[in-house]
Amino acid sequence: MPGVIGPADYSQEPPRNSCLKINSKEPFNAEPPRSALISSYVTPVELFYKRNHGPIPVVDDIERYRVSIFGLIKNPKELSMADIRKLPKYNVTATLQCAGNRRTAMSNVRKVKGVGWDVAAIGNAVWGGARLADVLELVGIPKLAATTPSGGKHVEFTSVDKCKEENGGPYKASIPLKQATSPEADVLLAYEMNGEPLNRDHGYPLRGIVPGVIGARSVKWLDSINISAEECQGFFMQRDYKMFPPSVNWENINWASRRPLMDFPVQCAICSLEDVDVVKKGKITVAGYAVAGGGRGIERVDVSIDGGKTWLEVARCQKPDVPYVADDICSDKWAWVFFKAEVDIPRKAEIVAKAVDVAANVQPEDVAVIWNLRGVLNTSWHRVKVRVSHSNL
């Protein structure tokens, strides 16, 4: 790709915040501390989780950078950043979540394959850019189209980076054309994050943002967009990011038997406490996030201090001083909500949090029932164990 280079090694990595917990150095994968994650509704760029599959691309000449749009269309084009910036700009507040978020807890039940993540492989940002539906109109695809006259039904994003899983080729993923052409889906070609140009870790100069869907489909460092008859056949669509039952292992797995993951399920995690924590006597704060895929709001968050025997419905919020009502026009439908409660605990306690979305989807009680060999979509009840410090008894 003219203007952007996918390095073959890690000698040109960007600087990162020292507070990040590094789960993999090469490729670089890291998450912020739990408590930092809920310090702001909009996650600061430096604290947003980093998920990579290879060395970070380098922009050597932004004026030469182009995104190619081709495939089953009549009018293929190459677009510069200036072309994309001429289109109406939209800001979309959306939470991205790695499908492997909370994988470490699943691995504690039975070993899984993949980068270990605590509860912070997730972040919420204000993404700025052009709607993909507007971009596709430039090549003759009307809004709300489910297919092109030539039979295109999927939009495949290809990156500039180089991944070992693709034998040194680029990362790629796809979404259905009907989702890409729907203005209500808010799919973006984003060039800003929290009001500033994307940084290198997060896809500079241009990336896809597919709200409500696992982060693996929001491809960074865009090289091309291919309108195809079938979904992407790349590694990360066909041999990864699929969910299997606990009975499937590496000897009997059949990748073709499962569809690629898209919308993420309802999720909830406590961020004010560690998995095993010591607290002072008296009231403690139980706070965290809840989020659901597909634009579904959070109807309820429940907290228990006795391992799930009894429950307390707790307060939810998004923006400060704005009451949160799930699916209300004033709420950010693609974004997480924060929850918070002040509770008295006995000498020892198991604190549990769970969420319910507007479609009444609930989280499974036990991680064992959703265990899968890749450790994806751990959405089980989140549990932490606390005890009161002896000095405060």
Side-chain angles (χ1 to χ4, degrees):
M1 159 62 68
V4 182
I5 300 169
D9 59 42
Y10 294 91
S11 62
Q12 301 180 73
E13 294 290 280
R16 280 101 176 195
N17 193 295
S18 60
C19 84
L20 294 175
K21 175 190 173 185
I22 300 174
N23 298 324
S24 167
K25 187 175 181 180
E26 295 180 357
F28 190 82
N29 291 283
E31 61 188 306
R34 292 182 181 186
S35 58
L37 191 64
I38 56 169
S39 64
S40 173
Y41 171 64
V42 174
T43 309
V45 174
E46 65 272 16
L47 296 180
F48 208 96
Y49 77 101
K50 320 296 184 200
R51 179 65 174 118
N52 299 298
H53 294 274
I56 305 300
V58 177
V59 176
D60 63 353
D61 187 352
I62 191 63
E63 297 301 321
R64 295 175 61 215
Y65 173 73
R66 299 290 186 275
V67 175
S68 301
I69 307 178
F70 61 94
L72 297 176
I73 53 176
K74 290 183 178 180
N75 304 305
K77 287 183 180 292
E78 287 193 349
L79 300 178
S80 66
M81 286 303 302
D83 295 327
I84 292 169
R85 288 179 179 275
K86 288 177 184 177
L87 294 169
K89 179 189 173 186
Y90 292 88
N91 288 317
V92 176
T93 303
T95 298
L96 291 189
Q97 178 179 207
C98 176
N101 192 30
R102 299 181 60 199
R103 177 179 283 137
T104 297
M106 188 174 282
S107 197
N108 288 339
V109 173
R110 197 184 347 154
K111 186 174 177 58
V112 301
K113 182 179 180 181
V115 175
W117 295 100
D118 188 41
V119 303
I122 188 172
N124 190 50
V126 180
W127 307 97
R131 276 184 176 158
L132 181 56
D134 292 341
V135 173
L136 294 178
E137 280 194 319
L138 298 178
V139 296
I141 303 176
K143 288 184 172 67
L144 303 179
T147 184
T148 67
S150 302
K153 295 181 180 179
H154 298 267
V155 178
E156 179 183 82
F157 307 104
T158 299
S159 179
V160 177
D161 66 346
K162 297 178 179 179
C163 310
K164 66 177 182 179
E165 294 91 344
E166 294 283 6
N167 298 315
Y171 186 100
K172 58 181 69 174
S174 67
I175 61 174
L177 181 64
K178 63 182 179 181
Q179 181 177 14
T181 59
S182 171
E184 291 188 359
D186 285 329
V187 181
L188 295 182
L189 296 191
Y191 44 79
E192 287 184 1
M193 181 180 183
N194 295 349
E196 300 291 335
L198 293 169
N199 70 14
R200 287 179 58 205
D201 262 324
H202 295 293
Y204 178 76
L206 192 69
R207 68 171 298 168
I209 292 293
V210 187
V213 170
I214 65 168
R217 312 309 177 210
S218 290
V219 176
K220 298 183 281 186
W221 314 292
L222 280 178
D223 174 83
S224 64
I225 298 172
N226 177 27
I227 311 303
S228 60
E230 60 181 5
E231 68 187 15
C232 173
Q233 295 301 298
F235 180 90
F236 297 101
M237 288 287 287
Q238 301 304 324
R239 298 184 64 81
D240 202 355
Y241 298 121
K242 295 184 177 184
M243 191 169 184
F244 291 87
S247 58
V248 172
N249 56 46
W250 293 106
E251 283 70 46
N252 64 15
I253 190 169
N254 177 7
W255 288 102
S257 68
R258 292 292 181 272
R259 58 180 295 177
L261 296 175
M262 298 300 283
D263 288 8
F264 51 78
V266 61
Q267 174 72 284
C268 176
I270 298 167
C271 296
S272 57
L273 299 162
E274 298 301 315
D275 281 344
V276 179
D277 217 330
V278 178
V279 299
K280 295 180 180 180
K281 186 178 181 180
K283 288 186 179 293
I284 66 167
T285 298
V286 180
Y289 65 79
V291 66
R296 294 178 291 275
I298 298 298
E299 183 67 18
R300 198 177 79 237
V301 177
D302 302 324
V303 166
S304 171
I305 62 170
D306 54 15
K309 296 176 182 177
T310 61
W311 297 92
L312 170 70
E313 183 176 348
V314 300
R316 297 155 295 139
C317 70
Q318 282 187 333
K319 292 158 282 192
D321 303 320
V322 179
Y324 173 77
V325 179
D327 284 2
D328 188 82
I329 192 171
C330 295
S331 300
D332 294 326
K333 73 173 185 176
W334 304 115
W336 60 15
V337 302
F338 284 170
F339 67 86
K340 185 176 181 179
E342 303 291 327
V343 298
D344 284 306
I345 63 167
R347 184 173 175 180
K348 292 183 180 181
E350 182 180 46
I351 301 176
V352 187
K354 62 181 177 70
V356 182
D357 72 16
V358 293
N361 293 310
V362 298
Q363 298 177 248
E365 178 178 351
D366 188 356
V367 64
V369 303
I370 55 170
W371 183 95
N372 59 90
L373 75 177
R374 276 291 283 119
V376 294
L377 301 187
N378 178 9
T379 57
S380 60
W381 294 1
H382 190 216
R383 304 170 182 269
V384 300
K385 294 182 179 181
V386 299
R387 66 176 177 83
V388 175
S389 169
H390 291 298
S391 61
N392 288 279
L393 292 176

